[in-house]
Amino acid sequence: MSSVKIMDNKKTTYWKSLEQLDNSPEYLKFLENEFPEQAAEMSDPVSRRTFLNLMGASAAFAGLAACSKPVEKIVPYVKPPEEVIPGVAEYFATTMPMGTFPLGLLVKSTDGRPIKIEGNPLHPASKGGTHVFAQAELLNMYDPDRSKDVMNSGKKSTWGDFINAWRELYPSFVENRGKGLALISTSTASPSIARLTETYKKKFPQAQWFVYDSAGDDCRIAASKALFDKSAMPVYDLEKADVILSLDADLLMMEPNNARYARDFASRRNLVLADDNLNRLYVVEGDHSVTGANADHRLQVKTSQIGAFAVALAKALQSLGLNIDKSLPDIDEHAFDVKWINAVAKDLLHQKGSSLVAAGKSQPANVHTLVYAINEALGNIGNTLDFYPLTDQLVAQSGQLAEFTKACKAKQIDTVVMLGGNPVFDAPIDTDFENCIKSVKHSIHVSLYNDETSQTCEWHIPQAHFLESWGDAVTFDGYRSIVQPLILPLYNGHSELEVLNFIVNGLDDKGYDIVRKTWSGILSGSQFELQWDKVLHDGVYENNLNPISVSVNKSSLQKSLSELSSKSHAADGALQLLFKVSPTIYDGRYANNGWMQELPHPMTKITWDNPLQISPVLAKSKRLKNGDMVNLSVHDKSVELPVWSVPGLEKNTLVVTLGYGRKATGRISKDVGVDVNPLRTLTAFNLALDVKLEKTGKSRSLANTQDHGSMEGRPLVREGNLEEYKANPEFAQEMVEHPPLKNLWKDHKYDTGYQWGMIIDLNKCTGCNTCVVACQSENNIPIVGKKQVGNGREMHWIRLDRYFSGDPENPKVVNQPVTCHHCENAPCEQVCPVAATVHDKEGLNLMTYNRCVGTRYCSNNCPYKVRRFNFFNYHKKMEDQDKLMQNPDVTVRSRGVMEKCTFCLQRINAAKHTAKKEGRTLAPNEVKTACQQACPADAISFGNILDPESKVSKLRDNPRAYAMLGELNNRPRLMYLAKVRNPNPELIKTEPNDKHHG
């Protein structure tokens, strides 16, 4: 995508893929067939019956396959409570318990059914935003493939049968003090589970408890224990950080607490005045992460050499007078870019006390110990970094699963209870976990699905979703909250808390009573009910936990440093394989979620698959094209999967995402992707070094969206650096020269009443995709399946374009959300033969669905390519649970109808209705669109552009504001704030200039 180079009039190419950069024949052919009539004729080997069956597996909007109805009956009130008004939505505070980092939520409920998830602005973990996984949980709850029956040895059973079976075993465990009993849980931060854990240990002192998580985060805690003699978790304050150095830490997307970190980071990217203080982000990594894509400077380093890089940084800091430790090991000075390291060291030291160095969760503990020591020497601890003690958290610890399997093989365990997780699927292959479970006398698994682990166990208990359950959670910095259910369990499930209470105490208590018992020790006795109601209302309890004081243990630091080396454990030029948690389906828990499967990967833009990501350099040397199949081997294990070239990867680094290739979850996840867990071992859990790659000669089609909506070289994104902005704040508006814009007919005046507009700050957008799923949830948008995505027929109303520029081996990245621009002079309206797309007096481009006859002229004439056409009736024959999830305020579209973003017209009308009843006008920022409200980075603003007090009105006056393709005289209501990077002046001259490609 070519655009005009900022300030110097040189040509800079913005490109989405390597095929586009090379103008390959395959890419040109795709462009020819994407939008004309031939698009409907592209080959599709999947039959209509198969396609509709696939859609039926999604609780999103297809529901065509048969599925038993939920046992719980959802019926209207016979006598509704006075405060409940039919059709009027209510919001309830609850908490999403995702490992040890819960997220505060507000859930919209209509007539007793939850239909939309938002962030809780009162909860410090969300600050009003969410992440992509929170948005997807609604579909997980309604999923018709969720387990509905208690299973005993593969046959349907009942909860009562399980109660009777356990009560026969319970007395012997009490008598034998728990001998032979083991419990396996995932990481959790529940005060109630913590209380029951203590009861379990007291009642069954000879029993064992193991914590395993395929996406665990124990290295940070292990490092704090080694360095400070205290088990503690670091919590960052990016709002205070002027300079941030990320060492393989995807803080803005996949690291724990990412919703809060994205909000805090983006708050320091505000740029209104030239002297505004922007933060600066350095990223050192082997893969290409979302955080790396947002970096001001990014350095490619093998993941196995991150520790050595940290040593090099420490030496550079010490050479500048900072005292870290005298026993830093020798390193090869030529292993890294010395000038780059020295510049970063100076910058960190210059911002002493307001800088931050963070290592990623996949890095070993000894890397974290050195990083902690560097932060202490820089004075960051207590400012940008605090350590908090473990209070009610159970954290997965490496090696515990190996201890469990060892105990099983030694016949020390005959009964195992598993709360969540799926270790049969994702445990390291050398633990032999599946055979261990089969060898024990009794095995019990609680999970949402009858998955791989449940099918291996004697008993499977359907788990209630957190939106159906009572529970609680606490953040590491001490903010407690309650998990409040929004609906009765749809599929007769029981929460992990209820099952654990029954296992420990033998009592079939309700989750509500269990949580109340825990909180009776948290809230004051005389004021319990009042405080309980306040916590339920606010969604968070006041914090009474302070960070702990820490001091580096020099001997522990020296021991850790002795384990670091300047050389990789692999030979130079050897391949390294990174196992990464998927930014769409996580570790497989969202594998049956159609929204997440169809959500493009932030960097590759691949949907419905997990190809092996390789660098352009490696692809060229191995003569590999996108989609070519390779045999990937680690030691004596191998898998076959397609490749995808990703600019910016370290040249010998391979990346593969976990969670795909599921065999037992549901119909959506069937035959999707490749299971790479057989390549993981206890010693190669996050990184494998003994890797071989062989081309098979076969290929596979991959569905990606990175080339959809190509705009034929017209300028889209506009960016510069801070120095250029200070010299010319209006550079973004001056990039495109055009003659005076004139209409062919008399202008309509949009100068009265409400006039709606949106503005997106490219400085804040991280490319996390949260807005895409939020829009899909809010507007009843269907999934279409892999083949239709391959045909360019994805239905997302908002897409997130990702552009590379510069050197393909080390490119810069810009993310740009694109939705309907609601042009005042809309090209789509001029060509519709039936006036189905029209403009209203408030500046909104509207669709009259009943008029649309499907000519698609409007899509052909839209320069932004944001209109979507229903080639199939994705909403037909919906099951009852599908209907429960639908937003009643949004029309469900049928086959043959064009649809697009409406600026959440239903939210505008609801706000105007409320204001009218109260006899007032709308407040300046009262209306929030779904994408705006969900965005963790607060990158989207919406409101009345005629109101001088509205945020959107003020931002439109920002000198960075520009209209995409404004030279076409469309007068769009969606505008952007140009991206401004904050590079280190010492490094600007050392980095290659953007090159003109194509």
Side-chain angles (χ1 to χ4, degrees), residues 777-797:
S777 175
E778 171 75 16
N779 293 295
N780 303 334
I781 299 173
I783 65 168
V784 300
K786 179 178 179 178
K787 291 298 179 183
Q788 297 307 313
V789 173
N791 288 343
R793 294 173 177 173
E794 64 273 12
M795 293 296 294
H796 296 136
W797 285 7

Side-chain angles (χ1 to χ4, degrees), residues 19-35:
E19 287 86 349
Q20 182 177 351
L21 177 61
D22 296 333
N23 280 325
S24 66
E26 293 83 359
Y27 173 72
L28 294 176
K29 183 178 180 181
F30 177 86
L31 288 185
E32 291 175 0
N33 290 333
E34 183 174 9
F35 293 108

Side-chain angles (χ1 to χ4, degrees), residues 272-395:
V272 179
L273 303 175
D275 58 350
D276 284 343
N277 185 18
L278 266 64
N279 59 14
R280 180 173 293 142
L281 174 62
Y282 300 93
V283 174
V284 180
E285 61 185 5
D287 66 329
H288 205 162
S289 68
V290 167
T291 303
N294 286 274
D296 296 300
H297 295 284
R298 179 177 174 273
L299 184 67
Q300 297 174 17
V301 170
K302 281 186 175 181
T303 301
S304 61
Q305 290 183 317
I306 295 292
F309 179 91
V311 173
L313 175 68
K315 282 182 170 289
L317 287 167
Q318 289 201 148
S319 68
L320 296 172
L322 192 70
N323 182 26
I324 299 175
D325 194 271
K326 295 181 180 179
S327 62
L328 290 171
D330 293 332
I331 62 168
D332 180 3
E333 293 184 356
H334 302 290
F336 309 106
D337 187 334
V338 176
K339 189 170 184 178
W340 202 93
I341 292 176
N342 289 336
V344 174
K346 290 179 184 178
D347 210 3
L348 290 169
L349 195 59
H350 179 67
Q351 300 294 340
K352 189 176 181 181
S354 64
S355 59
L356 176 68
V357 183
K361 65 180 182 179
S362 61
Q363 287 297 313
N366 54 21
V367 175
H368 288 275
T369 56
L370 178 54
V371 167
Y372 294 165
I374 292 174
N375 278 300
E376 184 191 54
L378 287 169
N380 296 332
I381 297 179
N383 294 311
T384 60
L385 169 63
D386 286 311
F387 287 88
Y388 288 88
L390 303 186
T391 52
D392 297 319
Q393 292 88 1
L394 293 176
V395 182

Side-chain angles (χ1 to χ4, degrees), residues 686-698:
N686 296 313
L687 174 67
L689 300 177
D690 186 11
V691 182
K692 295 180 180 178
L693 186 69
E694 296 179 354
K695 187 175 181 179
T696 66
K698 297 181 290 184

